[in-house]
Each structure stands twice: as structure tokens, then as C-alpha cells.
Amino acid sequence: MTILNILHYPDERLHTVAQPITEFDAALQRMIDDMAETMYAAPGIGLAASQVNFHKRLVVIDISEEKNDLLVLINPQIIAMDGITTYEEGCLSVPGIYEEVERAQHIKVKALDRNGQPFELETDGLLAICIQHELDHLDGKIFVEKLSRLKLTRILQKIKKRKAM
């Protein structure tokens, strides 16, 4: 397995809308494994294919403490959501930045597993937030862009300052 390079905001490639996956071949299985290894090594709890410059509708998530409960979502779609919650989010593409973001509290998602088998999942809490965050990546959206213009400007200044060091 390979640890992949994670794109960092404000890289424009993060705004690319991911395309559906139609081939469930060995290359896709390798990409899933590489993405999981990359996420665990980062360390993170979720990674969208768009973050590693693979613009297909693929997400890997593992919110378990033991890091042994990998969830693979291919061509995921949220089909129901309700309630509102606020959670402090971070992102592997925006390292070191954590901000409160408003999300749906409860979601129902349909997707394909790594073998192309359809499934549905109803969830809330951290997993629901993580799924929404990663699906935003597939649509070319970054969590910091949900914030006020002032907060986003400060974050961009902080990123620019870090790069200059």
C-alpha cells in the first residue's frame, strides 16, 4: 500500500466535482486501500478521493478508537436529513484549523460498498458529521468555506503565513 499526497487548501483541485465510479476493478481496490492507509497515517477519521487528487465519488471513514472499522462509501448520496447540530471540524486538507460548523444531526445515506453492493446507513453524531464533511469534498466544497468571510480571510492569512515560514 502507498501513502498518498493530500492536497492542501486553497489548492484549486479541491474544488473539482468528483465523478461517479463505474468500474469495480483491482485499481479501485488498491485506491481504497491506499486511501485508508493515508487516512490512518495522517492521522484522520475520514478522507475523500478528491483530497488525494482522484476525482471519483469515493470516501473512506473510520471513527473507531481502535482504527479497525473502515467504512467505504462509493457514489454516496444523502437521501434524508433532519435536525441541526454544531461540531468543531478539522480537515486533512486544512491542517491545524478547527472551526464550528453547522450540519444535519441525523442522516440517511445510500452508497455502494467496495464490491459494488448497494447499502443504506442511518446515523447521527460524529459519523453523520464526518459523512457530510466528506461528501462536501466530493462536491468540491471545503468546510472553511462554510464560515463567515472574516473567518475565512483569517484562515487564509494563517495558511499564507505558515507557507512563508
Side-chain angles (χ1 to χ4, degrees):
M1 289 185 278
T2 304
I3 294 180
L4 306 168
N5 289 324
I6 297 173
L7 300 177
H8 290 128
Y9 186 77
D11 191 311
E12 279 302 313
R13 294 172 290 180
L14 289 167
H15 291 109
T16 304
V17 176
Q19 299 302 307
I21 289 176
T22 56
E23 298 278 328
F24 290 80
D25 55 9
L28 177 64
Q29 299 307 314
R30 265 192 315 280
M31 178 56 74
I32 292 168
D33 293 340
D34 290 348
M35 283 178 58
E37 184 167 338
T38 301
M39 175 188 68
Y40 291 132
I45 61 170
L47 186 67
S50 301
Q51 292 177 270
V52 293
N53 205 30
F54 181 68
H55 301 287
K56 298 290 185 178
R57 299 193 74 79
L58 167 62
V59 167
V60 295
I61 295 172
D62 189 344
I63 62 169
S64 71
E65 289 291 324
E66 302 79 21
K67 302 299 177 209
N68 63 355
D69 192 20
L70 185 67
L71 174 63
V72 176
L73 301 166
I74 297 173
N75 300 336
Q77 292 179 290
I78 295 174
I79 55 176
M81 56 174 50
D82 62 64
I84 296 174
T85 189
T86 303
Y87 195 85
E88 186 178 68
E89 294 186 25
C91 181
L92 296 177
S93 289
V94 194
I97 304 294
Y98 300 90
E99 290 289 339
E100 297 280 327
V101 178
E102 199 171 88
R103 300 272 186 193
Q105 186 173 8
H106 181 267
I107 64 167
K108 183 175 185 179
V109 63
K110 71 176 185 176
L112 303 174
D113 67 14
R114 71 181 300 151
N115 300 310
Q117 297 303 306
F119 70 96
E120 290 186 1
L121 172 67
E122 279 191 62
T123 190
D124 58 10
L126 180 58
L127 183 55
I129 290 161
C130 191
I131 290 171
Q132 292 171 79
H133 177 107
E134 300 308 333
L135 268 59
D136 276 355
H137 277 297
L138 299 182
D139 293 330
K141 300 174 188 164
I142 313 302
F143 90 101
V144 294
E145 296 169 343
K146 292 181 171 289
L147 305 173
S148 70
R149 186 179 302 275
L150 177 62
K151 280 188 178 182
L152 181 57
T153 300
R154 286 182 181 156
I155 288 167
L156 287 169
Q157 288 171 343
K158 193 181 284 188
I159 291 169
K160 190 175 182 180
K161 190 183 242 182
R162 278 189 206 153
K163 283 184 179 178
M165 295 176 140

